[in-house]
Amino acid sequence: MRAVIPYKKAGAKSRLSPVLNLQEREEFVELMLNQVIDSLKEAGIEKIDILSPSVYGLEVMARARVLLDEKDLNEALNRYLEEAEEPVLIVMADLPLLSKEHIKEITSTEKDICIVPGKGGGTNALFIKNPSNYRVRYYGSSFLTHCSIAEDSGQNFEVYDSFMAGTDIDEPEDLVELLIHGKGPAKNYIDRKFKLEVKRGRVGLVPY
Amino acid sequence: MRAVIPYKKAGAKSRLSPVLNLQEREEFVELMLNQVIDSLKEAGIEKIDILSPSVYGLEVMARARVLLDEKDLNEALNRYLEEAEEPVLIVMADLPLLSKEHIKEITSTEKDICIVPGKGGGTNALFIKNPSNYRVRYYGSSFLTHCSIAEDSGQNFEVYDSFMAGTDIDEPEDLVELLIHGKGPAKNYIDRKFKLEVKRGRVGLVPY
């Protein structure tokens, strides 16, 4: 089994720009990436690839293999899957609430595919036992797309139901979940900049 | 064991008012309430109470006992807990993705308390084995509060990690999760009014 993490540091997380500037966003995604690598390693996954369109921010990465592919995310991942000769876990880099326990459960599915839904129709992780028989299509409602691709190719699948693994950090409101449920460097980074504020209904953020 | 569902139909779900008018919101919350009752019954819970400040919308409710209490939610629930002589599951009425499997897992916790976090710091369900030893405090960051109350009273607790049980329907974006992951009357109601639209990043809603 191997894991692959799509990653782009340059100009990362533009939807967080109302609350974090470019430098902060780039620092923050690097912390999140490293937490995902930590969780994968703690779960016993030794072969970890980072798939990036650019070497920016990965110049000294020694904890994972860096694969550069300038193509669009889907093309790059599908090329990766085509060449893979063992089960592949695709895991997004913005999942600081993903734990080793989640990863162990996801990769021990009895089905051909395990799909971890993210907020708003996304796919936060995808475990594929036979990668040469599967193609990904991220963007848009990729969760539904990935379910259909599994069905259409005759592979059965499990939907992995987790609040924590389902929390990808894209919008300012997601930082609230990180502050409430998170730990580690990514949480500490946000903790130094914001505090929780009780707004109408859900909890929000205010800067220090 | 008994379950209690706090419920208020009049003027319900004001944060959905950008996309649903008052009548629609009141119809919709009634459908969600009935789905939660369905899931509780399917999970084998026979004693179900609806705790409401008003009889409005519950005039002909025959599927659960209706308890009227005009006090604020926390006061009414704490009075309920004080008088309960068996384990209590408090479950919110706006959880149309909550299944009988979730309920069975939540109520079979080995800990004293099982807390189901909702989006933005909320508490979507709370299972309390010794209700006379526990008090609730909803509103604000109630998830963290409920963890503290458990700790302070010397009761251990489990956090139940579920994307589906964690999805309370309060904001328009939550309707997207219902359309993607839901089934049943509440989903069908929203399905007739909106379709999914791929916006920047996450999927959004557009009216028909």
Side-chain angles (χ1 to χ4, degrees), chain A residues 39-169:
Chain A
S39 297
L40 289 167
K41 286 185 180 280
E42 287 165 15
I45 298 185
E46 286 164 10
K47 295 183 239 173
I48 303 173
D49 296 319
I50 299 171
L51 186 60
S52 182
S54 150
V55 76
Y56 174 61
L58 297 166
E59 299 87 347
V60 296
M61 170 57 66
R63 310 182 63 215
R65 184 172 69 157
V66 175
L67 299 176
L68 299 180
D69 192 327
E70 291 183 354
K71 288 211 183 306
D72 135 280
L73 173 69
N74 289 320
E75 274 187 79
L77 275 174
N78 284 330
R79 179 147 67 186
Y80 181 94
L81 292 178
E82 215 166 301
E83 291 168 2
E85 289 173 343
E86 59 195 313
V88 169
L89 173 66
I90 303 172
V91 56
M92 295 296 128
D94 59 353
L95 305 176
L97 304 181
L98 182 76
S99 70
K100 68 173 178 187
E101 288 78 14
H102 295 127
I103 293 165
K104 284 181 183 173
E105 288 178 0
I106 293 163
T107 57
S108 58
T109 183
E110 292 180 357
K111 302 294 175 77
D112 299 319
I113 310 272
C114 183
I115 306 178
V116 183
K119 289 181 169 188
T123 307
N124 284 2
L126 195 49
F127 179 61
I128 309 162
K129 286 191 185 163
N130 303 297
S132 58
N133 290 336
Y134 196 85
R135 293 295 167 266
V136 295
R137 208 161 80 223
Y138 283 89
Y139 306 125
S141 181
S142 71
F143 169 74
L144 292 174
T145 308
H146 288 139
C147 293
S148 299
I149 293 173
E151 274 172 0
D152 295 347
S153 64
Q155 296 175 81
N156 57 22
F157 64 93
E158 175 186 346
V159 175
Y160 185 77
D161 176 21
S162 163
F163 185 97
M164 307 302 164
T167 300
D168 45 318
I169 307 292

Side-chain angles (χ1 to χ4, degrees), chain B residues 66-182:
Chain B
V66 175
L67 300 176
L68 299 181
D69 193 327
E70 290 183 354
K71 288 212 183 306
D72 135 281
L73 174 68
N74 289 320
E75 274 188 79
L77 274 173
N78 285 329
R79 179 145 68 183
Y80 182 93
L81 292 177
E82 214 166 301
E83 291 169 3
E85 289 173 343
E86 58 194 314
V88 169
L89 174 65
I90 302 171
V91 55
M92 294 296 129
D94 60 351
L95 305 177
L97 304 181
L98 182 77
S99 70
K100 69 172 177 189
E101 287 79 14
H102 295 126
I103 293 165
K104 283 182 184 172
E105 286 178 2
I106 293 162
T107 56
S108 58
T109 183
E110 292 179 357
K111 302 295 175 77
D112 299 319
I113 310 272
C114 183
I115 306 178
V116 183
K119 289 179 169 189
T123 307
N124 285 2
L126 195 50
F127 179 61
I128 309 161
K129 286 191 185 164
N130 302 298
S132 58
N133 289 337
Y134 196 84
R135 292 296 169 265
V136 295
R137 208 161 80 221
Y138 283 89
Y139 305 125
S141 182
S142 71
F143 169 74
L144 292 174
T145 308
H146 288 140
C147 293
S148 300
I149 293 174
E151 274 171 0
D152 294 348
S153 64
Q155 297 176 80
N156 58 20
F157 64 94
E158 175 186 344
V159 175
Y160 185 76
D161 176 21
S162 164
F163 185 96
M164 308 301 164
T167 300
D168 46 318
I169 308 292
D170 280 316
E171 309 270 357
E173 71 201 39
D174 305 328
L175 298 176
V176 171
E177 307 298 356
L178 179 59
L179 287 181
I180 291 177
H181 299 286

Side-chain angles (χ1 to χ4, degrees), chain A residues 19 54 63-64 70 96-97 109 118 140 148 165 170 176 179-180 187 196:
Chain A
V19 297
S54 150
R63 310 182 63 215
E70 291 183 354
L97 304 181
T109 183
S148 299
D170 281 315
V176 171
L179 287 181
I180 291 176
K187 189 235 181 181
L196 295 172

